[in-house]
Amino acid sequence: MSRLTIADDLYAVMEIERSASAEDIKIAYRRLAQQHHPDCNPGDDQAEERFKRLQQAYSILSDPERRAKYDQIRAASNPEPVPAFMDDFFSSIGEFFEEIFGSGGNVVHLSLERALRGGPIMIRGKDGSLTRIVLPPGIKNKFRIRASDEPGSPAFTFRILPHPVFTRKRNNLLVQLSVTSLDALLGCTQTVTDPYGDILTIDVPPNSRPGTRLRLVGHGVRSNKKRPGDLLINLDISPMNSADRQTLYQAALAAGLIQR
């Protein structure tokens, strides 16, 4: 069962202390998301379940208001609470989670990957009822749609969870790429897996400087109405360390650019 229960400790799911800062939570999510992503664990039937539980925990702990409510209710809970579905737990404080909505409002939380892909999605209500919605690809945060054209049919608002690596800006996707000073000086090739699961090759040109922005045209948000956006890569260049300096020195010697 992939859904968290009230008996689960969200901090334990994310392998952090309860005193963790917002930055600690973000770093932990990035690490665990890479570790448990289904694409990185071919043949592991439990990877998708672990990844989904991680997303659930992150969506709560990364939001200061939701985290405070979770801490408050968790502290007041029985030390050995009876397991209950997390949507039932959060419905008591008016929160809604992923593909779940409650009586207070039809709010659906989606990962960035799911929002970009679009397609059919089953929404389970607090009463266990299921509603099928077909999402267009590339929906934005707070996208709203009705279940059908029939009068009185329920409307749903979709909120996109923050992603640990990618940020959306209009139809572009932004990512920060870390490279060493030596790679920035000499140029290098890096790869990145985008939210669609595609492995993209990024050519970092020689003499790149901090703040350099690279662009992969057509590798941003895909939608039915507009041309695809672009992937924008901001270079984060680390200071040159002693090992890099030694490598550069040896290369210059071998090329005859300098003498001992």
Side-chain angles (χ1 to χ4, degrees):
M1 180 180 299
S2 60
R3 290 206 178 278
L4 295 168
T5 72
I6 194 173
D8 287 299
D9 184 341
L10 303 189
Y11 294 98
V13 171
M14 294 199 63
E15 300 180 8
I16 55 176
E17 300 292 334
R18 296 196 178 193
S19 59
S21 66
E23 184 63 21
D24 293 334
I25 294 171
K26 188 174 183 180
I27 292 173
Y29 180 63
R30 286 179 175 174
R31 174 176 60 83
L32 293 173
Q34 293 177 351
Q35 179 180 339
H36 297 303
H37 196 287
D39 291 345
C40 299
N41 295 272
D44 186 349
D45 295 336
Q46 300 300 315
E48 184 174 355
E49 179 175 335
R50 293 195 302 270
F51 186 67
K52 189 171 185 179
R53 287 164 60 87
L54 175 64
Q55 287 183 308
Q56 292 172 348
Y58 179 69
S59 75
I60 296 165
L61 297 185
S62 63
D63 184 310
E65 184 177 349
R66 302 183 81 196
R67 180 183 180 182
K69 291 178 179 179
Y70 168 76
D71 288 341
Q72 180 182 4
I73 293 181
R74 182 74 183 180
S77 298
N78 189 308
E80 296 182 358
V82 177
F85 283 117
M86 189 61 100
D87 51 310
D88 294 332
F89 170 62
F90 277 101
S91 67
S92 65
I93 55 175
E95 294 290 341
F96 309 98
F97 195 77
E98 201 177 4
E99 299 176 6
I100 302 301
F101 68 91
S103 59
N106 298 343
V107 179
V108 183
H109 288 80
L110 292 179
S111 67
L112 176 64
E113 291 90 343
R114 190 69 183 84
L116 293 179
R117 289 197 306 270
I121 183 172
M122 295 299 293
I123 303 175
R124 181 165 61 89
K126 184 181 177 182
D127 60 358
S129 62
L130 294 175
T131 302
R132 185 177 186 272
I133 296 287
V134 179
L135 296 176
I139 66 169
K140 296 181 179 180
N141 191 41
K142 298 182 181 180
F143 174 79
R144 187 173 175 84
I145 189 174
R146 287 197 172 276
S148 71
D149 294 332
E150 297 180 3
S153 64
F156 300 92
T157 300
F158 291 83
R159 295 189 180 275
I160 313 305
L161 298 173
H163 195 278
V165 177
F166 293 91
T167 302
R168 178 174 180 170
K169 186 174 182 181
R170 293 187 290 275
N171 259 16
N172 295 326
L173 293 174
L174 284 70
V175 66
Q176 183 168 288
L177 181 65
S178 297
V179 297
T180 67
S181 292
L182 190 59
D183 284 339
L185 178 63
L186 302 178
C188 66
T189 299
Q190 300 273 9
T191 60
V192 63
T193 302
D194 69 11
Y196 293 98
D198 297 329
I199 299 177
L200 306 177
T201 299
I202 300 171
D203 293 321
V204 178
N207 299 316
S208 293
R209 298 183 178 183
T212 296
R213 171 171 285 186
L214 308 177
R215 181 186 298 265
L216 292 184
V217 177
H219 288 283
V221 177
R222 308 166 192 169
S223 67
N224 293 332
K225 296 182 178 180
K226 300 179 180 179
R227 74 167 185 83
D230 301 333
L231 177 63
L232 306 178
I233 304 103
N234 294 325
L235 295 184
D236 179 19
I237 302 175
S238 60
M240 187 172 292
N241 55 38
S242 57
D244 288 340
R245 293 191 185 94
Q246 183 62 25
T247 299
L248 189 60
Y249 174 71
Q250 293 298 332
L253 280 176
L257 299 178
I258 60 174
Q259 297 181 347
R260 292 184 184 274

